[in-house]
Amino acid sequence: MTATVAEPTGARARQTYYWRVRNARTRHRPENAGQAWHIQPGHPGGAYSDLGHGPNPPAHHVPTLLSRSRLTGRRADEQQFRGGCLACEWEGPVHSGDGFGNGDNEAVEDAHDHCFPRWRTLPPITTVEDRWAVPRSRSRWAQLTAQYPAGWIDQGAPIVAWRRYRREAHVPPHAGRPRYELHVARPQRDQGHSPTDQGALF
């Protein structure tokens, strides 16, 4: 399979096509299925389905992550990522990286920019312990989500949390956690004027 092969667009259609290649239902070799755009395992819509999804897409935008490997002629293939939506054919720009927060994070953020345009203004969870504690506490969860735009919680808007290190990967929805957990940089503290500032010298 090469880059010149015409593939369908949209996350749902791409996932169906990927499984058709994997199951030898196309003219392409099944072992080359990873070179076709597909939903990254573990992300929304990434379940097995070579017969297609349900007849109706979700009623609201749902972010997901598409990926593929690209032959580079070197020892290792290049990984590429792009955001996708399960409700429409929108696809984000392509990012290269090795995953684990490099390339995949940017694509997941693109998908959330499409589905929840103001997600970067949501109140963050500021400690690692609270990432688990807040969703389990009815009162703390209500306090956090009171600042979300109307309807966003029911549509699966993300939880935003301060990241622990520079490339901490975003976490896709999983059992008991029906929404992405997106990790953002902790705001820098205002250092104020230090004794070495020019104003302090005169």
Side-chain angles (χ1 to χ4, degrees):
M1 194 154 74
T2 67
T4 60
V5 172
E7 296 181 24
T9 57
R12 289 160 52 91
R14 287 192 187 276
Q15 183 69 0
T16 299
Y17 179 78
Y18 164 76
W19 279 108
R20 290 181 61 78
V21 175
R22 289 255 336 234
N23 291 328
R25 296 186 188 216
T26 70
R27 62 187 177 87
H28 305 296
R29 296 167 59 184
E31 58 268 28
N32 292 339
Q35 296 172 30
W37 285 108
H38 59 280
I39 296 174
Q40 179 82 358
H43 288 260
Y48 170 83
S49 174
D50 77 326
L51 298 177
H53 297 268
N56 300 313
H60 54 81
H61 295 293
V62 177
T64 194
L65 176 65
L66 296 165
S67 67
R68 72 174 174 183
S69 61
R70 299 287 289 165
L71 298 175
T72 61
R74 301 182 196 138
R75 230 163 74 180
D77 294 345
E78 176 186 61
Q79 288 298 117
Q80 293 184 329
F81 304 92
R82 71 190 324 171
C85 179
L86 297 178
C88 68
E89 293 187 1
W90 175 89
E91 295 178 347
V94 176
H95 302 276
S96 296
D98 59 6
F100 309 104
N102 180 22
D104 54 341
N105 270 7
E106 294 85 347
V108 167
E109 290 172 12
D110 292 341
H112 281 79
D113 288 339
H114 168 74
C115 298
F116 301 102
R118 299 188 312 278
W119 71 267
R120 296 170 197 273
T121 66
L122 297 176
I125 293 176
T126 59
T127 68
V128 174
E129 295 79 12
D130 279 348
R131 292 182 186 183
W132 292 101
V134 169
R136 293 179 179 181
S137 167
R138 191 174 279 179
S139 61
R140 295 184 72 190
W141 178 250
Q143 183 180 13
L144 177 75
T145 60
Q147 300 176 58
Y148 280 53
W152 272 26
I153 289 299
D154 294 335
Q155 295 174 14
I159 294 174
V160 176
W162 285 356
R163 66 188 180 205
R164 295 172 290 174
Y165 45 87
R166 188 174 62 87
R167 274 180 40 185
E168 184 175 12
H170 299 318
V171 180
H174 57 280
R177 302 295 291 273
R179 60 196 76 248
Y180 276 89
E181 181 179 286
L182 304 182
H183 303 134
V184 297
R186 180 189 306 255
Q188 292 186 349
R189 293 180 182 168
D190 183 7
Q191 300 295 326
H193 293 290
S194 69
T196 57
D197 287 344
Q198 287 291 334
L201 298 175
F202 297 99

